[in-house]
Amino acid sequence: MALAKTYTIDRQVPDSAGTGTAYLCGVKANAKTLGLSGAAVYGKCHTTFGNEVDSVLHRARLAGKSVGIVTTTRVQHASPGAAYAHSASRSWYADANMPKEALQEGCKDIAYQLVHNTDINVILGGGRMYMTPRQTPDPEYPEDPDQNGTRKDGRDLIAEWLRAKQVVCGGEEREPGHRGARYVWDKKGLDAVKDDSVSHLMGLFEPKDMKYELNRNTSTDPSIVEMMEKAIRILRRNPKGFFLFVEDE
């Protein structure tokens, strides 16, 4: 157990971005900024560069441990985002959520960073719409255009993640126990994944945040307990240990 002071530099009553940066990265930050030191200014892309701070999840991965994120919010939300992203705004979920100036200055959205920053073994939660191109029908709500993908850059980040994790370099496994990757979007798909069949698993069970437990469809959406148990069974195979971030909201 540990105690952490989570108030931000510019506010005594903080938000999830500043608090996540505090307890995951070990530094005080300004409100609404993710994975950045206090030198970064909210909403100002150019203050990102050179002020990035690493999280305990990132450090664990560098040490050879397996790492994972489980949340009932979207996986790009502030608390899980502090584990892997460096963003001047917690609201930059996809490129469609970013101002033109930030894109021109070279900042990347949080969904992009989820796939391209730290090699995360298990990613379970909501947030499908930020991963796919605009007008991509959602697999669970194909008739509802409000649930479609939102990306303006045309990238399918789910497909990019799968390709990257399934590549075997030089005909040899990239790491001990590497068995490829799987993506699932409902409880049936999650239940079908055998614990020893993958080294990487991404499960995105809602377009945005997952449903509250009282409203959850138990046949289509897994509970936080089911997600956490699946994550632990996959991560614990690493003899060097694992780090798992779990958030219930």
Side-chain angles (χ1 to χ4, degrees):
M1 294 183 63
L3 298 176
K5 293 180 178 179
T6 55
Y7 58 85
T8 49
I9 292 173
D10 55 345
R11 296 185 186 182
Q12 186 171 6
V13 180
D15 73 310
S16 297
T19 57
T21 301
Y23 62 73
L24 287 172
C25 303
V27 301
K28 283 280 181 282
N30 289 313
K32 301 183 180 181
T33 63
L34 278 177
L36 300 173
S37 72
V41 179
Y42 169 64
K44 302 296 182 181
C45 167
H46 68 276
T47 66
T48 300
F49 309 111
N51 294 318
E52 301 92 341
V53 291
D54 290 335
S55 72
V56 61
L57 178 142
H58 182 74
R59 293 172 184 270
R61 196 71 186 99
L62 291 179
K65 301 179 187 299
S66 295
V67 299
I69 289 172
V70 171
T71 180
T72 55
T73 67
R74 63 202 83 180
V75 294
Q76 305 88 357
H77 213 251
S79 295
Y84 61 83
H86 311 289
S87 178
S89 173
R90 59 175 291 173
S91 301
W92 293 351
Y93 299 123
D95 61 335
N97 305 110
M98 298 177 65
K100 184 184 300 183
E101 297 75 20
L103 293 170
Q104 292 173 342
E105 291 172 354
C107 281
K108 299 297 185 181
D109 60 88
I110 298 168
Y112 178 93
Q113 295 187 59
L114 171 67
V115 170
H116 291 95
N117 281 10
T118 302
D119 177 23
I120 305 175
N121 298 91
V122 177
I123 302 167
L124 300 176
R128 284 193 298 255
M129 66 164 49
Y130 309 112
M131 306 293 282
T132 55
R134 293 174 68 181
Q135 300 182 351
T136 301
D138 184 81
E140 190 173 1
Y141 313 105
E143 305 301 322
D144 185 355
D146 290 337
Q147 311 304 326
N148 289 354
T150 63
R151 300 197 64 82
K152 291 183 176 180
D153 58 10
R155 304 182 79 131
D156 184 338
L157 295 180
I158 297 170
E160 288 184 20
W161 182 86
L162 282 170
R163 284 195 299 268
K165 305 311 176 188
Q166 290 175 336
V167 168
V168 180
C169 301
E172 298 180 355
E173 292 185 343
R174 299 196 316 179
E175 61 183 38
H178 183 82
R179 291 178 174 83
R182 286 280 300 277
Y183 166 71
V184 298
W185 57 269
D186 61 2
K187 184 179 184 300
K188 181 180 179 181
L190 182 68
D191 292 342
V193 176
K194 295 182 179 180
D195 304 335
D196 61 352
S197 66
V198 296
S199 61
H200 290 75
L201 173 64
M202 178 186 290
L204 304 177
F205 304 107
E206 286 290 335
K208 291 184 179 179
D209 298 331
M210 295 182 67
K211 299 288 194 298
Y212 289 114
E213 182 62 23
L214 287 175
N215 302 322
R216 179 173 66 91
N217 185 326
T218 57
S219 63
T220 59
D221 293 346
S223 68
I224 187 171
V225 173
E226 291 166 332
M227 292 191 292
M228 184 172 63
E229 288 180 345
K230 179 66 73 174
I232 291 174
R233 290 193 181 105
I234 293 172
L235 299 175
R236 70 182 180 183
R237 299 202 319 266
N238 189 330
K240 293 186 177 180
F242 67 87
F243 175 87
L244 177 62
F245 173 87
V246 181
E247 176 195 33
D248 186 12
E249 185 169 304

